[in-house]
Amino acid sequence: LPIEAFALPLAVAGLGGRWRVAGAFYLASLAGTAATDAAIAATGLMDLWPQVLAAPLQEAPLLLRQAGESVLQPTHLLLISSIALGLLQACRLLWNLGGACGRVAAATLATTLAVDGLFLASALLAPQLSGLI
C-alpha cells in the first residue's frame, strides 16, 4: 500500500460514525490517487518522474513535455481515456446516491480528474510552469 493509505482503517471505521463525510473524502482521494498512479504506471511514465526531477533546469521542461506527449500515443490515450471515463461514471453514481458522503466523494474524484487534466495540459503547453520544475 502507498504511504497515502496510512489512515485507511480510520477512514473505513469513520464511515459508520460522525466522521463519514471525512472518510468519504479520504477514500475518494485515495481512489483518485490509485487511478492516477495506475495510469502512470501502465503508460510507462513512472520511470520518467525521477529523471524529470533530477534533470538540470534547462532540460526538465523538455523531458516533461516528452512525457506528456507520450500520453498522446493511441494506446496510452485509450487507456487514460478509459480510466477517466470510469472515474466519471463513479462520480455520476456517487452523486446520484445522494447525501453528503456521495456528493463529497463525487466532487473529490471529479477534482482529481480536473487536476490531472491540468497537469497534462501544462506538461504539453507550458512545461516550465509545472509544479515539478
Side-chain angles (χ1 to χ4, degrees), residues 7 16-17 28-29 43 48 51 53 64 70 72-73 89-90 94 107 110 117 133:
S29 295
T43 57
L48 292 177
Q51 293 174 20
L53 295 174
L64 189 57
S70 77
L72 300 179
Q73 294 176 13
Q89 287 295 86
L94 289 164
I133 302 170

Side-chain angles (χ1 to χ4, degrees), residues 4-64:
E4 293 95 343
F6 77 95
L8 183 60
L10 293 172
V12 171
L15 290 175
R18 65 184 213 182
W19 292 97
R20 67 182 146 270
V21 173
F25 171 78
Y26 178 83
L27 292 172
S29 295
L30 196 59
T33 298
T36 299
D37 288 352
I40 289 172
T43 57
L45 293 176
M46 195 68 76
D47 295 334
L48 292 177
W49 294 132
Q51 293 174 20
V52 170
L53 295 174
L57 191 55
Q58 307 86 315
E59 294 175 25
L62 178 62
L63 289 172
L64 189 57

